[in-house]
Amino acid sequence: MFKYAQIDLNTGFCVGVSYLSGEVKAAHMLPLTEGQDVQPGDIFMDGEWTRPASSSSVGKKRWWEKFRK
């Protein structure tokens, strides 16, 4: 099995994680190791994954607002 993160190429936002039966060569599909705990909502930027802080904090901007144009 091959594990991939599907990302939005404009934002680096992970929109899904998939286990596939074959290898995929596509810019929006990033291969993951079994040990990588990437989840939808994580962000791939400058070669690294980050998990945004919870958006439930009152008075703080929601994490996705920085990606809006």
Side-chain angles (χ1 to χ4, degrees):
M1 296 296 272
F2 296 87
K3 184 177 177 182
Y4 289 92
Q6 182 178 352
I7 64 166
D8 179 311
L9 291 175
N10 294 318
T11 63
F13 183 83
C14 177
V15 296
V17 176
S18 302
Y19 286 89
L20 305 174
S21 61
E23 196 171 357
V24 175
K25 300 272 187 200
H28 71 288
M29 299 290 282
L30 301 181
L32 300 172
T33 65
E34 195 59 39
Q36 286 180 292
D37 181 30
V38 175
Q39 299 175 8
D42 290 355
I43 299 170
F44 188 74
M45 188 175 294
D46 299 326
E48 294 187 19
W49 286 102
T50 58
R51 182 156 299 146
S54 172
S55 61
S56 63
S57 299
V58 175
K60 290 187 176 180
K61 277 190 164 184
R62 290 173 285 195
W63 60 267
W64 63 83
E65 289 179 1
K66 67 182 176 183
F67 295 106
R68 291 189 178 166
K69 294 180 180 178

